[in-house]
């Protein structure tokens, strides 16, 4: 009887485990997506053995190989990202967990050091560590960030804040007042209005903050914060327009016009991650395609400028996404999620421009940051 009970319990556990696994498998499909023309640069300056003057780091939050592939097949078999020649992989583990969160990985990309999950710009002992904008500012290099997430979100805030928890939103907003960045775009105006009066005053003492870029003050500002209303940065499925590609172009122009010694820009396509958490395959694909349009804006600038390095990667993979069927000619692709969370799968790493050769192969996310810093500050 004892063995029968034991066997029964094991069988019940196995059944429940199988049931839970089955519940985690979510299928999705997209077809007849609105395709966009991709861009292929000349590669004349790609891999040139000289230091880049400018660097644009583009992070597709949650974007694994399957996400990128889904966007590629839905777009007829190509993306501007996949038109590039230099690629590798980024390992994303944090100092505390095999599977990272956006805060720890964002901090690794921003600060060049692994830390614990949830940390924003601090080390494993919760001490502040310098981020790229702070390091580069010492050499006269200006910096900015663009995101479809909240500005105080985990990835963007890693490039300006220093807090032991990503959930310390008021403190992260307060850090913005002393940030080394001269430009930020993302989030929503509604959240900014809710901040403490002292924090708002401190931020506005440093930046011209606006909910629209169509003003003379915005174009002439020395430091600019663009916080549009929520619908402007919402999901593509909720009608977001061209905020990400257009803000990327605007940020490049803004930083270049104020840079005497080069600029650094971080651009985040945040909602690839958010739609993958929800196992929303059609929206995931739309977000990848929108991110690719932002990449195109950066690559076109880099091609014309000749001294700009563009790096494209992700902070982690989300959803354990796999592709099942597709027809690139019809823009049809289907996928299956087996998780609603992050995974530890290495993420794609692409690069274009002078110094792109240093981003081949497999490396840590923190290595990407340290290489950017070394390339931009060499000889300064």
């Amino acid at each position: 009887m004892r063995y029968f009970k034991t066997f029964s319990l094991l069988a019940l556990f196995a059944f429940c485990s199988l049931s839970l696994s089955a519940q985690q498998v979510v299928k999705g499909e997209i077809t007849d997506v609105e395709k966009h023309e991709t861009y292929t640069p000349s590669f004349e300056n790609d891999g040139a053995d000289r230091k880049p003057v400018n660097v644009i780091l583009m992070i597709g939050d949650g974007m694994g190989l399957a996400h990128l592939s889904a966007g590629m097949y839905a777009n007829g078999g190509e993306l501007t990202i996949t038109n590039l020649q230099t690629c590798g992989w980024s390992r994303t583990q944090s100092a505390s967990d095999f599977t990272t969160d956006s805060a720890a990985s964002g901090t690794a990309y921003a600060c060049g050091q692994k830390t614990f999950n949830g940390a924003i710009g601090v080390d494993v002992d919760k001490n502040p560590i310098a981020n790229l904008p702070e390091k580069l500012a010492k050499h006269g290099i200006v910096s900015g960030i663009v995101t479809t997430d909240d500005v105080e979100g985990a990835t963007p805030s890693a490039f300006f804040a220093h807090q032991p928890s990503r959930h310390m939103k008021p403190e992260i907003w307060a850090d913005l007042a002393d940030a080394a960045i001269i430009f930020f775009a993302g989030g929503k105006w509604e959240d900014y209005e809710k901040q403490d009066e002292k924090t708002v005053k401190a931020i506005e003492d440093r930046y011209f903050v606006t909910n629209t870029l169509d003003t003379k003050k915005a174009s002439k500002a020395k430091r600019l914060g663009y916080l549009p209303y929520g619908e402007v940065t919402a999901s593509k499925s909720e009608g977001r327009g061209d905020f990400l590609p257009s803000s990327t172009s605007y940020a490049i122009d803004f930083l270049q016009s104020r840079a005497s010694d080069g600029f650094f820009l971080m651009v985040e396509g945040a909602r690839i991650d958010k739609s993958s958490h929800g196992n929303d395959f059609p929206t995931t694909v739309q977000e990848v395609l929108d991110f690719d349009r932002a990449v195109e804006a950066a690559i076109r600038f880099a091609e014309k400028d000749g001294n700009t390095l563009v790096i494209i990667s992700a902070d982690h993979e989300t959803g354990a996404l796999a592709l099942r069927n597709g027809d690139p000619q019809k823009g049809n692709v289907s996928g299956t999620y087996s998780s609603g969370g992050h995974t530890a799968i290495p993420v794609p790493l692409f690069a274009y421009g002078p110094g792109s050769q240093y981003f081949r192969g497999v490396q840590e996310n923190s290595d990407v940051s340290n290489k950017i810093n070394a390339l931009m500050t060499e000889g300064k």
Side-chain angles (χ1 to χ4, degrees), residues 293-363:
R293 294 185 185 97
V295 170
E296 178 185 346
I299 296 295
R300 283 185 179 276
F301 171 78
E303 175 79 345
K304 182 179 179 180
D305 177 68
N307 293 302
T308 297
L309 170 64
V310 181
I311 302 163
I312 306 112
S313 193
D315 49 358
H316 52 72
E317 193 272 355
T318 303
L321 179 63
L323 303 188
R324 299 184 296 117
N325 297 297
D327 185 339
Q329 291 185 337
K330 295 181 180 178
N332 172 265
V333 64
S334 58
T336 301
Y337 297 95
S338 58
S339 171
H342 301 172
T343 72
I345 301 170
V347 292
L349 175 64
F350 288 81
Y352 176 77
S356 66
Q357 65 271 26
Y358 297 108
F359 298 90
R360 296 174 184 153
V362 181
Q363 55 204 281

Side-chain angles (χ1 to χ4, degrees), residues 10-65:
L10 288 172
L12 178 61
F13 176 78
F15 174 79
C16 290
S17 298
L18 287 171
S19 298
L20 286 171
S21 297
Q23 290 173 9
Q24 290 177 350
V25 175
V26 179
K27 299 178 181 179
E29 183 177 7
I30 190 169
T31 191
D32 295 327
V33 67
E34 183 180 349
K35 300 180 180 66
H36 65 271
E37 293 292 327
T38 66
Y39 177 66
T40 302
S42 70
F43 300 103
E44 181 180 350
N45 298 299
D46 191 28
D49 190 20
R50 63 175 185 272
K51 59 172 289 186
V53 176
N54 313 305
V55 172
I56 304 172
L57 172 62
M58 311 197 71
I59 298 176
D61 195 331
M63 186 182 71
L65 178 59

Side-chain angles (χ1 to χ4, degrees), residues 54-129:
N54 313 305
V55 172
I56 304 172
L57 172 62
M58 311 197 71
I59 298 176
D61 195 331
M63 186 182 71
L65 178 59
H67 302 71
L68 189 63
S69 300
M72 179 182 68
Y73 291 129
N75 200 53
E78 65 177 31
L79 296 172
T80 295
I81 299 172
T82 57
N83 288 343
L84 303 180
Q85 297 178 348
T86 303
C87 59
W89 297 96
S90 177
R91 287 189 292 233
T92 64
Q93 282 70 34
S94 73
S96 64
D97 292 81
F98 185 62
T99 301
T100 191
D101 75 338
S102 294
S105 189
T107 296
Y109 279 117
C111 304
Q113 191 169 327
K114 299 276 189 175
T115 190
F116 58 92
N117 279 11
I120 299 291
V122 298
D123 63 18
V124 292
D125 297 317
K126 301 182 180 181
N127 298 310
I129 42 179

